[in-house]
Amino acid sequence: FANGANWAGTVVVNGLLKITNYEGKTENDNPASVAFGALDLQADFQVRVWRGEDGALTNDTLNVGTFINNGGKLVPTMMTEGEEFVLGDKVVVGKIAKSAVLPELSKGWRIVLKAIDGDDEYNLLTINRGAGLKVILR
């Protein structure tokens, strides 16, 4: 799906689905923004993320009515060469319907929903790095 795609139906993630934005030199230079009625996660789906020189993150935007969890997960994927995710990184995925099923996430990430002022239908879906328990023994 190209940047700006708006598909009201269900999109099936089968391992071949990609979203792209060809405004840069290659399909992986720029984030894309798409809207789907539902995203059926039958396989993992990458949310591409870039870290700017100032440390700020930009990423693909997925505005989704609901998720259908069929074994796949949303997987944040760092596109900036030499960079990795660090504890506390936040990725704003996009809008999600308030009554929606939430997606499964890759290990180490957790979902945070925020209300959108003036919007009775959608929340903002953010995923944060650092979910889990860390024990240090000395």
Side-chain angles (χ1 to χ4, degrees), residues 44-114:
D44 290 350
F45 184 74
Q46 290 184 345
V47 176
R48 299 173 307 160
V49 181
W50 292 262
R51 187 178 307 280
E53 291 179 13
D54 62 355
L57 298 178
T58 58
N59 56 274
D60 290 330
T61 300
L62 301 173
N63 297 310
V64 178
T66 193
F67 288 88
I68 302 168
N69 294 310
N70 280 322
K73 297 178 174 114
L74 281 187
V75 180
T77 305
M78 183 60 72
M79 301 302 292
T80 306
E81 192 173 320
E83 291 286 336
E84 294 184 14
F85 291 108
V86 296
L87 190 66
D89 276 346
K90 295 178 183 178
V91 176
V92 179
V93 176
K95 291 182 180 180
I96 185 170
K98 288 191 176 188
S99 60
V101 173
L102 299 175
E104 296 290 327
L105 300 176
S106 59
K107 188 175 181 179
W109 292 88
R110 69 182 177 95
I111 292 175
V112 176
L113 293 176
K114 288 186 175 182

Side-chain angles (χ1 to χ4, degrees), residues 1-3 17-21 27-28 32-34 36 45-46 48 60-62:
F1 285 88
N3 184 43
L17 177 70
K18 290 172 52 173
I19 59 175
T20 60
N21 185 343
E27 66 182 284
N28 290 322
S33 179
V34 296
F36 301 135
F45 184 74
Q46 290 184 345
R48 299 173 307 160
D60 290 330
T61 300
L62 301 173

